[in-house]
Amino acid sequence: MAGDEFQADVLSVSERMAAEALIVDVDGYEGPLDLLLTLSRTQKVDLRRVSVLQLAEQYLAFVEKARHLRIELAADYLVMAAWLAFLKSRLLLPPEPGDEGPSGEELAAHLAYQLERLQAMREVAATLMARDRLGRDFFARGIPEDVRRTRRVTYTATLMDLMQAYARIRTKDEFRPYVMDRDAVMTLEEALERMRGLIGFAGDWTDLTSYLPEGWQVDPGRRRSATAANFAASLELVKTGAVEIRQSDTFAPIQIRKRHDG
Amino acid sequence: MAEDDDPQAPAESLFEAPPMGEQERMVEAILFASADPVPVSDLAARMPHGSDPAEALAHLRKRYEGRGVQVVRVGDAWAIRTAPDLGFLMHKEVVEERKLSRAAIETLAIIAYHQPVTRAEIEEIRGVSVSRGTVDLLIEQGWIRFGRRKMTPGRPVTFVVTPEFLDQFGLESARDLPGLKELRAAGLLDNRPPPGGPGDEDDDGEDGDQSELFEE
Amino acid sequence: MAEDDDPQAPAESLFEAPPMGEQERMVEAILFASADPVPVSDLAARMPHGSDPAEALAHLRKRYEGRGVQVVRVGDAWAIRTAPDLGFLMHKEVVEERKLSRAAIETLAIIAYHQPVTRAEIEEIRGVSVSRGTVDLLIEQGWIRFGRRKMTPGRPVTFVVTPEFLDQFGLESARDLPGLKELRAAGLLDNRPPPGGPGDEDDDGEDGDQSELFEE
């Protein structure tokens, strides 16, 4: 506005210098909270006693000055300005009856808390960085001696494993170890065994249903069992990292492929 | 020792542990050989059966009091480090460190004092957004790592400081951070949410709803 | 020292050298932190004027006598090293437990039930060839060893189980292994009679073989 420009022109040289110094610094601030903290120091009081009202006025004056000097402030500075203007009105005006939300005092207290907390964090950060530091003030061993690591593998097996293994061998020709006869059921183990052998040939995405064995593709009961077993087996293989699995949409065909390392 | 004659002594004492003086030598050798702090469990695993590394450590620590190198605790681990007052002799060993930005330093301090802390909480404290690069840099330095997720809407990841951080700043544990007690007493480490800040209520409500929906 | 009173003493002695105890600390810290062994000349260059690193070294060396680490001479330079008798501590064994493979457990079972047994016999019983790796693994594990050679053509070696095997599986002797009948009674085998009826030659033969084998 013309009036504003005129006003800016009549500012004394020293005033302009001061204003510009402040503006030039804008880049140096890490956001509105940082700026507020800097402004609060001009009050020269303990942060716990800082006057938030006064601070809001300082901030708004700063933003106003920036506007005079046609400095474009980042959006978050303007958001903070709007909020502080709101806070100011809350602090100055008596609350309207039926007013919802936190009071001006509560908002002001939280802002003061935020400033105090930021200030405290800055102080401890400085204390931390001023501590004696490894590699600067104190040092670790210059010639560490490597610990030689050897890996020893021990195998575990129980007597039960041993007996079962023996029973398996001795009975495989004559009769089978105890299993229930369920013609129409394919077990996860069977499917896994089969798929482990087949997966090596699946270089590219292949429909899971194409893995169903001969004789399990037509009869609904057998087909259902084989599909479920194959699906569970493929998940098992995915878990071990042998294959990848995908389904483009709900009820879309499930596809798997051998996983290529790297 | 009387314990050895005790018929109630545990079965482990079948294998006699080496005398404490020997155990102290062992701990000394292991700590000297390692540039990184060695956990007590590692000491126990490497020393003969029945050894008491904690006691040996206490003796060793005492022995090195006032010497040119010291036995220091770093979290659950122990290390030997040169005495800080002799740093001036080590100019040759100083590794030129990357200068940390102010943002990185403050972020590190906030993580140390508020851990486990989410990115949103760090941003709330600093009043500005935390850049990816800052967090990446601190992780790369080995000073922070991901902690467990917070049980709040969205289950955000948290950050915590590492044992390397403690080692770097010569801290025995995160409890020994300078000024920690005072900050806590002053309530400055509380997670104090803004009093119904503009739009915050809405956001929270939505987040809550969302996670509820997703958790079904 | 007399030298200090000598009017001919070099100008450096204007600055008083630190006490010998301090010098010893300095040498200790430098030797500890240096990446390479340090020559005395280097020590002198890094320590305050007027220091006597050679004497400090002698003190330090004495101090570390019999400790877990020692001050040793490496060529013209000095370093701190682990005491030779503690070298074993610098060795860490990582034990990894794995489940025995099916081939291995079957091979082991056959050896246990049929010992002494040749490789050809194992292969005949299993119906598949036995890999070298499987046998090596069982030997390495300490569960089987070579028995005496069989007095058959080619004098093949046999395998037998070891006391460690018995120990591992909680057996007094290999004879305690349950026979087929007991396995069947224990529910490990199908209760259906084999296709040839109760008098099945094969089945009886097996049990017979087994007891024969054990009754040496």
Side-chain angles (χ1 to χ4, degrees), chain C residues 93-139:
Chain C
E93 199 174 61
V94 187
V95 178
E96 198 178 293
E97 274 207 349
R98 277 191 217 160
K99 199 133 178 71
L100 211 56
S101 72
R102 182 174 163 147
I105 189 87
E106 286 183 8
T107 304
L108 181 62
I110 293 167
I111 295 170
Y113 276 91
H114 293 267
Q115 64 172 352
V117 62
T118 66
R119 178 189 291 263
E121 287 164 344
I122 299 171
E123 290 181 344
E124 200 191 317
I125 297 168
R126 274 198 75 212
V128 283
S129 66
V130 174
S131 82
R132 219 194 135 66
T134 303
V135 171
D136 286 352
L137 177 86
L138 293 171
I139 290 176

Side-chain angles (χ1 to χ4, degrees), chain A residues 30 122 131 133-134 139 145, chain B residues 33 82 106 126 168-169:
Chain A
E30 279 205 86
R122 292 203 167 152
R131 281 182 75 84
R133 300 264 299 273
L134 177 67
F139 295 83
E145 288 167 55
Chain B
T82 61
E106 282 182 21
R126 294 200 65 231
Q168 172 72 29
F169 292 96

Side-chain angles (χ1 to χ4, degrees), chain C residues 141-145 161-171:
Chain C
Q141 194 70 19
W143 287 342
I144 65 168
R145 61 173 178 81
V161 293
T162 62
E164 284 91 332
F165 164 86
L166 298 176
D167 202 32
Q168 165 78 28
F169 291 92
L171 297 165

Side-chain angles (χ1 to χ4, degrees), chain A residues 155-216:
Chain A
Y155 290 89
T156 56
T158 63
L159 186 57
M160 190 56 80
D161 295 333
L162 196 71
M163 294 189 308
Q164 277 171 339
Y166 190 66
R168 193 162 60 228
I169 303 160
R170 303 284 20 201
T171 57
K172 75 179 162 210
D173 296 333
E174 299 94 345
F175 48 91
R176 301 171 299 141
Y178 182 69
V179 284
M180 266 168 65
D181 281 321
R182 288 183 298 181
D183 291 344
V185 173
M186 177 178 265
T187 64
L188 168 61
E189 284 74 17
E190 283 165 6
L192 201 54
E193 193 85 352
R194 232 184 124 259
M195 287 187 74
R196 274 216 185 90
L198 290 173
I199 196 66
F201 303 103
D204 212 331
W205 292 108
T206 316
D207 198 329
L208 188 61
T209 55
S210 64
Y211 283 85
L212 294 188
E214 280 300 325
W216 292 77

